[in-house]
Amino acid sequence: MMNTRRILTAALAAPLVLALAACADDAATADAVSGDPVAAVPAPAGQAWTDTVSRTEEGGWLVGNPDAPIKLVEYGSLTCPGCAAFSAEGSTPLMQDYVDTGRVSYELRSFLIHGVPDLVLTRMLECADPTAAVPLADQIWAKLHDERAYVFQTDNQAALEQANSLPPERRLPALAEVSGTLDWFAARGISRDQAQACLSDTAAADRLAEVTQNAADAQNVGGTPTFFLNGRELETTPGTSTWTQVEAALQRAGARDS
């Protein structure tokens, strides 16, 4: 089992790409989640469920009806091509056809596979208004999916190594600076001063490490994207559209008219 605190400590010393183990074969699956059709739940007057966002105790962003009977959780890495593919294909229909009905809630939990890039990008999402976090994640994934390039660029190794040598409270802001991440988010409404303050919060970085470690230990999450439907892990088949599989599971669980 990975030790995330050790991983992130090492990642702050040098850029890291970590290959995590696959999810356990004996995990409970969402195929067991099935039920009768669930009635749509109207949003409060003048609101849409897709505009209703809250932070969860697990550090995620929950979009939609907080009391939705069907709850979809994604453990996703912001530098994960598979997550980018799911976002590109599934984000719009998931929100429009399922979350907006009030039947389904969607929660994104960042899972730090790739050390510093994931850590920096997740802290930047935490700097934003909660309602902006998932749309920003979709934009990060769109860049990765379409251009095969991270928002966190690692081309200038000398500058990254120099940033790595700084004290902990200055290290992540410097890495975000030399990687171009600060400029990317500044163009989307998160000022450089705001970002610098968020990234210098070493306690918040530690909390993110704990979230990933707890998910790995308690729920056996070992890769991304990993989905849970009403608390049961949804196993997906490689080589097949992940969104197609997730949508089928949602429908089996009752997110349908008949």
Side-chain angles (χ1 to χ4, degrees):
M1 185 60 64
M2 66 178 181
N3 186 309
T4 306
R5 286 185 177 278
R6 177 175 55 77
I7 287 168
L8 292 180
T9 299
L12 287 172
L16 174 71
V17 175
L18 175 68
L20 296 177
C23 297
D25 293 335
D26 60 353
T29 73
D31 291 337
V33 179
S34 61
D36 296 330
V38 174
V41 181
Q47 300 181 34
W49 283 127
T50 47
D51 297 326
T52 302
V53 182
S54 58
R55 296 301 306 271
T56 67
E57 292 182 359
E58 295 79 9
W61 291 267
L62 188 148
V63 184
N65 176 8
D67 298 317
I70 302 170
K71 303 179 187 299
L72 178 68
V73 174
E74 176 185 0
Y75 285 95
S77 159
L78 294 168
T79 56
C80 159
C83 303
F86 176 79
S87 172
E89 186 176 6
S91 181
T92 297
L94 172 61
M95 294 298 168
Q96 292 182 353
D97 300 339
Y98 294 94
V99 173
D100 234 2
T101 67
R103 296 177 172 119
V104 176
S105 65
Y106 166 75
E107 181 182 348
L108 171 63
R109 299 178 185 173
S110 181
F111 193 77
L112 308 180
I113 285 183
H114 294 137
V116 164
D118 277 334
L119 178 58
V120 168
L121 293 172
T122 303
R123 281 299 294 138
M124 293 300 296
L125 293 191
E126 291 186 327
C127 287
D129 184 276
T131 60
V134 172
L136 282 170
D138 284 332
Q139 290 183 51
I140 293 169
W141 282 322
K143 183 173 176 62
L144 176 64
H145 183 69
D146 292 341
E147 301 176 19
R148 310 301 300 167
Y150 295 157
V151 170
F152 186 102
Q153 298 288 342
T154 58
D155 295 336
N156 190 339
Q157 290 296 317
L160 289 170
E161 290 173 6
Q162 183 176 5
N164 274 332
S165 68
L166 296 172
E169 68 276 6
R170 294 174 57 196
R171 199 169 301 161
L172 290 184
L175 286 165
E177 177 74 65
V178 301
S179 66
T181 304
L182 289 184
D183 289 338
W184 192 88
F185 279 94
R188 289 156 179 81
I190 300 176
S191 72
R192 296 173 69 85
D193 287 346
Q194 181 184 2
Q196 293 272 0
C198 289
L199 291 168
S200 64
D201 187 343
T202 57
D206 285 343
R207 287 195 296 273
L208 286 175
E210 290 176 359
V211 167
T212 293
Q213 188 68 61
N214 290 340
D217 291 344
Q219 295 190 280
N220 204 32
V221 176
T224 57
T226 294
F227 297 92
F228 286 80
L229 188 59
N230 286 0
R232 293 179 178 269
E233 185 179 337
L234 170 61
E235 291 186 351
T236 55
T237 304
T240 303
S241 162
T242 303
W243 165 241
T244 298
Q245 296 173 76
V246 169
E247 183 175 33
L250 292 173
Q251 297 226 351
R252 285 195 300 274
R256 61 187 191 275
D257 292 326
S258 60

